[in-house]
Amino acid sequence: MANWIDACAAEDIDEEDVIRFDYDGRTFAIYRSPDNVYFCTDGLCTHEQIHLADGLVMDHTIECPKHNGQFDYRTGKAMRAPVCVNLGTYATKVEGDRVLIEI
Amino acid sequence: MSGIVILGGGECGSRAAFSARDQGYSGPITIVDEETGLPYERPPLSKPDAQGIIRKPICSADMLRDKAITLLDGLQAISLDREVRCVTLSTGVKLGYDKLLFATGASARQLTCDGGERALSLRTVHDAARIYDIAQPGTKVVIVGAGLIGLELAAVLVARGVDVSVLEYAPVALGRNVPRPLAQRIVDRHVSEGSHIFCGVEVDSITAGHVVLADGRMLAANLVVAAIGVAPRTGLAAVAGLAIENGVCVNDNLCTDDPHVFAAGDCASVQRGGIRQRFETWQNAQIQGDIAGRNMAGGQHAFDGPVWFWSDQFDLGLQGVGQTNGAVFATRKVDNDAEVLFYVNEASQLVGAVGLGRGNAIAKDIKLAQKLIEAGVSIVAEHLNDPDINLKTLLKPATTA
Ligand SMILES: Cc1cc2nc3c(=O)[nH]c(=O)nc-3n(C[C@H](O)[C@H](O)[C@H](O)COP(=O)(O)OP(=O)(O)OC[C@H]3O[C@@H](n4cnc5c(N)ncnc54)[C@H](O)[C@@H]3O)c2cc1C
């Protein structure tokens, strides 16, 4: 069942960047791509549970702030060691100036 | 049976095995390691997680099986015949190879003073289990060596309620790889958390319950840990006639003078800036392992990027990349208690950066610094000093040019 949650303002995230969003005991990372599309993944890296919101967004990848694991944040796919487990991803939509995520 | 044989299944050896497969190698790949069990990461040994877990496997048995990588654990390689391309293991088993990788890592240096053998070191999961077993709340632990690992251990033990003293021979702690202002902040933090740090002291001897200093002082100790650095494990390579200078000598492709023999990770030395350098970091082990694996499978990759490291001290995160010695060129105050120092060469190109802050506050800037170093961007100090200038903007013109 679709459960759309209002997560942040569209302007809260810089272009090609990421922020943290916590909801109901869970934590997420919400991204704004260089072409202004919003994406959402699980917040914690699958290697050592480090929050990805402190990581570096370049093009369509997020690099974990700790051990340099990389994911494609559009699909959650693990791209570089040490990570080998993919991230969960969540649908997003923009309504007015708000970003919503489906969880 | 020939194929790829990898001596050492640490970060470097295991990475090399997977990379050789990724490169399309279809022959047998065998990893030999004298430790038992699956390959595991060493950094968590001094940074147990919230559950106290220290053994973090690098890969699962399924992952090895899926890639047809054979792990011979609990076995030591004891001799190497390069004429016939064959390694002999402790059981007498002989393994032929087409390509051989030394990923034998390093071992902890031992104290040579009287009673030095009483000190434990921290290199393997067994070492860690012994240390954490003895170092219960209320015990007294003396750590010899105020380097990154000695201090990480001190932080973990103090947080558990252990009475920790750290002894350093040099006049300052962390002198080897952390710039002074950042090192001082780390030391101050340790002191405020309750560690006793003594610099400029020499250990005379270790007795059943004490550490005796050269100036006659005595410190009570239920446990002494030597954290005085590591030495590359080059014995087997040396006996086999390979060149050794601060590690097993390799070229930029991580190949020794013998085209069938490679070396990478903590045990290998590469030529950099006119000297043979060895890097003792986790990411270097991973990157060099990756390159060596690909090259053994027929690739032609060169090791040339800047090396990155991190260390966790309480909730402070330290990260550095590239060459971080010489004069500081710029200082970026990322926030109230996070800063990054930058280093450049004569051409004003960034060559290194090191930062310290709470959690991962400096991580993004260090990653961007790494990209700026790799891109060879010339830089002005004002841009680095200004935390409102996103370092990404310095990178973008360079990459699209
Ligand atoms: C406690 C600790 C904390 C660390 N923390 C950090 C950190 O925070 N950040 C960082 O960047 N780096 C850190 N490091 C360093 C990092 O772990 C090493 O650089 C890395 O492990 C090197 O990998 P390696 O595979 O080259 O060598 P190793 O990990 O030493 O692996 C070599 C393997 O070879 C095996 N071997 C050797 N000789 C033989 C033989 N003849 N036959 C069979 N097997 C053999 C050994 O048993 C060993 O398993 C830490 C290291 C330690 C010990």
Side-chain angles (χ1 to χ4, degrees):
Chain A
M1 196 184 63
N3 189 12
W4 287 97
I5 308 295
D6 183 331
C8 61
E11 288 309 312
D12 287 347
I13 318 178
D14 291 338
E15 222 173 274
E16 203 181 34
D17 209 349
V18 56
I19 63 164
R20 173 180 182 145
F21 173 62
D22 293 332
Y23 181 77
D24 200 15
R26 297 167 69 187
T27 188
F28 302 90
I30 305 180
Y31 310 81
R32 177 170 167 186
S33 72
D35 41 358
N36 273 317
V37 185
Y38 292 81
F39 295 91
C40 178
T41 70
D42 290 327
L44 301 180
C45 179
T46 56
H47 171 241
E48 272 198 2
Q49 308 289 300
I50 304 289
H51 210 291
L52 293 169
D54 290 323
L56 177 65
V57 178
M58 289 294 266
D59 298 319
H60 291 112
T61 60
I62 171 74
E63 192 172 334
C64 172
K66 226 24 186 304
H67 306 126
N68 309 324
Q70 282 184 3
F71 302 91
D72 183 328
Y73 57 78
R74 297 169 300 181
T75 59
K77 191 171 168 17
M79 317 242 299
R80 188 172 78 185
V83 294
C84 41
V85 177
N86 298 342
L87 289 172
T89 56
Y90 307 88
T92 67
K93 64 181 177 187
V94 178
E95 278 181 3
D97 63 352
R98 304 297 300 174
V99 179
L100 283 72
I101 65 173
E102 187 187 23
I103 53 177
Chain B
M1 184 183 77
S2 92
I4 291 178
V5 172
I6 298 172
L7 304 183
E11 192 65 45
C12 179
S14 22
R15 182 55 32 213
F18 284 99
S19 290
R21 268 298 175 251
D22 287 350
Q23 179 81 16
Y25 186 77
S26 59
I29 300 179
T30 309
I31 301 175
V32 181
D33 200 299
E34 65 191 24
E35 290 192 53
T36 48
L38 288 169
Y40 64 91
E41 298 192 10
R42 296 192 195 282
L45 302 180
S46 51
K47 314 167 187 69
D49 69 9
Q51 282 77 43
I53 292 175
I54 50 172
R55 182 168 193 132
K56 186 170 171 52
I58 293 171
C59 58
S60 64
D62 284 349
M63 287 164 72
L64 292 170
R65 198 175 319 115
D66 286 351
K67 298 286 179 182
I69 297 166
T70 306
L71 171 65
L72 301 179
D73 63 327
L75 296 178
Q76 195 181 22
I78 54 169
S79 70
L80 162 62
D81 184 338
R82 292 195 289 129
E83 288 283 297
V84 295
R85 299 216 291 272
C86 176
V87 179
T88 305
L89 306 186
S90 38
T91 47
V93 167
K94 291 183 186 302
L95 288 178
Y97 64 84
D98 179 39
K99 295 283 192 281
L100 180 75
L101 175 64
F102 275 95
T104 47
S107 52
R109 286 184 201 283
Q110 309 293 316
L111 285 167
T112 52
C113 64
D114 260 2
E117 70 288 346
R118 292 178 188 270
L120 301 186
S121 38
L122 177 51
R123 184 73 190 177
T124 69
V125 71
H126 295 287
D127 296 338
R130 275 177 78 192
I131 290 171
Y132 295 126
D133 190 39
I134 302 172
Q136 297 295 333
T139 56
K140 291 184 190 299
V141 175
V142 173
I143 298 171
V144 184
L148 288 172
I149 291 182
L151 288 183
E152 281 189 358
L153 178 64
V156 173
L157 296 185
V158 156
R160 290 185 169 198
V162 175
D163 179 344
V164 179
S165 300
V166 185
L167 309 180
E168 172 59 51
Y169 181 73
V172 291
L174 294 172
R176 200 162 66 97
N177 33 23
V178 184
R180 273 302 276 280
L182 304 188
Q184 193 55 51
R185 256 192 81 194
I186 294 174
V187 169
D188 291 347
R189 178 62 186 275
H190 276 268
V191 170
S192 74
E193 297 276 351
S195 292
H196 315 284
I197 299 187
F198 303 87
C199 290
V201 295
E202 197 177 336
V203 176
D204 172 77
S205 57
I206 300 172
T207 64
H210 290 91
V211 175
V212 183
L213 303 184
D215 61 14
R217 276 184 287 177
M218 274 173 67
L219 298 171
N222 300 96
L223 169 68
V224 183
V225 179
I228 53 173
V230 297
R233 296 187 65 176
T234 56
L236 191 54
V239 172
L242 293 162
I244 310 290
E245 190 185 332
N246 186 26
V248 182
C249 298
V250 288
N251 62 20
D252 287 347
N253 301 117
L254 307 182
C255 193
T256 66
D257 290 338
D258 179 337
H260 295 278
V261 182
F262 291 71
D266 274 18
C267 73
S269 74
V270 294
Q271 196 79 45
R272 282 237 174 146
I275 50 166
R276 285 242 151 234
Q277 287 204 36
R278 212 163 49 73
F279 301 100
E280 296 165 358
T281 79
W282 176 85
Q283 181 245 19
N284 175 68
Q286 204 177 74
I287 289 190
Q288 288 197 349
D290 180 60
I291 292 171
R294 289 180 193 283
N295 289 350
M296 288 192 293
Q300 274 298 330
H301 301 271
F303 169 74
D304 58 3
V307 170
W308 172 87
F309 77 94
W310 92 99
S311 173
D312 296 339
Q313 310 276 339
F314 300 100
D315 64 350
L316 293 178
L318 173 77
Q319 294 195 17
V321 61
Q323 297 164 38
T324 54
N325 40 24
V328 175
F329 176 70
T331 302
R332 186 177 175 91
K333 302 265 180 215
V334 179
D335 63 36
N336 276 345
D337 54 9
E339 61 182 334
V340 180
L341 315 182
F342 295 91
Y343 301 80
V344 294
N345 62 14
E346 320 75 61
S348 297
Q349 289 166 310
L350 197 63
V351 294
V354 56
L356 179 71
R358 212 170 286 276
N360 294 315
I362 48 80
K364 211 180 281 187
D365 282 337
I366 294 291
K367 284 186 196 306
L368 285 164
Q370 170 157 2
K371 292 187 195 302
L372 288 166
I373 296 169
E374 285 164 352
V377 176
S378 296
I379 227 114
V380 290
E382 295 78 67
H383 292 158
L384 299 174
N385 285 334
D386 183 351
D388 292 330
I389 296 181
N390 186 340
L391 295 183
K392 226 186 248 181
T393 57
L394 308 181
L395 186 67
K396 290 269 154 121
T399 47
T400 51

